[in-house]
Amino acid sequence: MTAELVRGQNHPLSEVRLEVRISAGRPVVAVATLSDDSGRARGAEWVVHPGAPVLPGLEVSRQAAADHRLAVDLGAIPEAVHRVDVLLALPAAGGGPTRFGAVAAPFVAVTGLDGTELVSYTITGLDAESAVIAVELYRRQGAWKVRAVGQGYAGGLTELLTDLGLTQAAELAGAAEEAVAEGLARSVAVPPPRTTDDDRSHLASAPPRPNPAASVSSREGSSSEGSSHEGQVSGTPAPSAPQPAGPGGSGDGTPAAGPSMSVPAGGTIDYRHPRRQPAPPSGQPSDPPRQPAPAAPAASPGHDGQPSRPIAGDATGWSMEERLYNQVWGMFEDLARTTAAYRSAVDFAESRMEKELDQVLSDPRSRIGGQGDAARDAALDKHAQLVDQARAALDRDLAQLTDESEVVEPALPAAYARWDNPVWHGYRVPMEIPMAVRLGDLHLPEDPSLRIPMLIRLPLERGLWIDSGRWASPDESFADEGERRRLAMEAAVAHAARLIAVYPAGEFGVHVIDPAGSGAQALAPLVRTGVLAGPPAVGAAGVADVMSRLTQRVDLVQMAVRGGAPDALPPGFDAAEQLLIVNDFPHGFDDRAVTQLRYLADEGPAVGVHLMMVADREDAAAYGPLLDPLWRSLMRLTPVPDDHLADPWIGHAWTYEPPVVPPGSQVLQLVLTEVATARRDWNR
């Protein structure tokens, strides 16, 4: 059972190999310091920060992120160390908040390697502070314990490190900020447009994820060779669990060293998946596939020896739907992998150039005559050569993925397709629940035109939060409050309509709470077609009624399941899955309704009751940390493109783009009308 600590409370640690997981809602910098038995850090070599992220038994992230996962091996900590402090600081770069009072209360959890939470702590009471000691792990009589600290510093990381006795506090803080700023600068660099002269035939893949068990499912047998450059490149964090299409919401990981990557001089690499065999020559039998699910036949080489165009369903699976699902995941993996290879190659080229320039400047003999200038020119030329090689490999990969996307997108079934896909014009209510549903698209700045479908498995395992808070609109301006709420509600209706459309008739019900009636215009398609379980609930009485009925439903199903009698539910009980859309939270909610809402978010998905919140978190700020678990339990989506889905494996955030109904299109009305007709026929 997780021990929930308050400030100053401690708890013994039963394991020595741990992870310290941090969720802050906004990007923060994670730092750790080691202290001796007197509580003082002995020097810069006892500080772990993004610019120097590794010490024996301790490793932190190399950049600022909303979620961190620090690796700690207490058995490898030097004997002279008696305390490990975990520090958080708001980055100066990026133009984000400058005080913790303007962001959500940071949440810290100490877990085992299997993810089991041992201790958790929500850091409350911060205001003007921009740096904080979150927790400390300390040695007491040969055993390790953890203490919730929550000590903030308005002077930032410099003041905090000074308080720990470090005379180089300003230099260390500057080094951490510089490393974060460099990471941000690299993450937004976009390569030049592709040219037709580039070789578009091969798909280069980056080094494999350091932790395959923790990564999302990759295409079987994917190549592990990366971009062409000399030496080794440092690896990147592996995501802990698949979030939306991999980066789902806010993932994190611990850095790990990557393999050496090289390309034979003058040679080429076959980037096709080794276990995707080409079709055998005519008249020769092929061996049966050795995998649990049958694989689609791979495209055979063309007459020129180059791979032919990709085909839809080129993945393992028992059905075309499953093959397409796995193929989309493979495309996501390939895009993440090749982007990681490109950025890693650029990092390597820059570090090599800096090292060579330092060597030139450190030798007094090279400063005389033209020897130094020649060495500098050689270092710059080598840097440009390595970057050009990496860029060429990236362009080849992006071209191949673009070709595959152009083939796969039109072949997707309705559950996976965009609203402008012609498949919706022939829509019929399905007889079975699909594997997944599309909640939007994902893309990276290296090629914004290449969008990967964001597929989420069904039934939903967590609720959805359509954020109506402050975000920039597509034209970089900030929408006013009314516009934000309208866009958020329209996005919620589009998501709800898709969920209604992909479920068989009578197997998915939708309830709406709209206390002030502000979402009436956006809800019109759902209301007019009659696909709602009832009229939208308004006022405090309507909120109380809906919340009472749904919490009672969760209680009944839980009791039946736990009692081993799932068929013993009351006569006439509607066994369909239910979705509750809540608009303008917390308007109309009293304390009892808020408690019931948290209960639905935690317990509902397991028994078929799902939650979709359309809310601005700032509107519920009066509840303080009470609602932090609620927001963390929901998958945050935005009604406009936003890069909030973190994937620290590639060192960047994926840009999420919501599924937008084309302007003037009647597809939503046609689909919902078809659903309403099918439900009437089903109820006869």
Side-chain angles (χ1 to χ4, degrees), residues 293-438:
S300 58
H303 296 295
D304 59 355
Q306 301 296 335
S308 59
R309 284 180 59 83
I311 61 174
D314 186 15
T316 59
W318 292 104
S319 64
M320 178 56 76
E321 179 191 9
E322 185 177 358
R323 290 176 179 177
L324 288 169
Y325 175 83
N326 290 333
Q327 187 172 13
V328 169
W329 269 103
M331 292 166 60
F332 168 80
E333 287 285 330
D334 286 344
L335 179 56
R337 188 177 293 114
T338 191
T339 305
Y342 166 70
R343 294 176 179 174
S344 182
V346 172
D347 285 345
F348 170 79
E350 291 179 353
S351 63
R352 173 184 173 135
M353 179 183 67
E354 291 174 359
K355 180 179 179 181
E356 292 178 350
L357 292 177
D358 288 343
Q359 290 176 348
V360 171
L361 295 176
S362 63
D363 187 355
R365 293 172 299 178
S366 65
R367 303 173 192 167
I368 302 174
Q371 182 179 359
D373 294 337
R376 281 190 291 271
D377 292 341
L380 293 173
D381 291 342
K382 187 62 177 178
H383 171 268
Q385 179 185 355
L386 293 176
V387 171
D388 289 343
Q389 290 177 356
R391 189 165 292 169
L394 175 69
D395 288 344
R396 290 196 301 268
D397 295 356
L398 294 177
Q400 181 70 11
L401 282 169
T402 299
D403 290 344
E404 187 171 10
S405 176
E406 291 173 353
V407 173
V408 169
E409 190 69 47
L412 294 177
Y416 301 173
R418 291 196 297 253
W419 284 115
D420 59 358
N421 193 309
V423 70
W424 287 107
H425 296 290
Y427 167 78
R428 292 294 181 269
V429 177
M431 301 298 294
E432 296 181 352
I433 301 174
M435 288 183 58
V437 66
R438 184 174 189 160

Side-chain angles (χ1 to χ4, degrees), residues 531-569:
V531 295
L532 296 180
V538 297
V543 172
D545 177 62
V546 174
M547 297 303 300
S548 178
R549 284 190 286 111
L550 290 179
T551 52
Q552 183 181 17
R553 176 191 178 88
V554 172
D555 290 338
L556 286 174
V557 177
Q558 282 187 337
M559 286 190 293
V561 172
R562 291 170 182 171
D567 297 330
L569 292 167

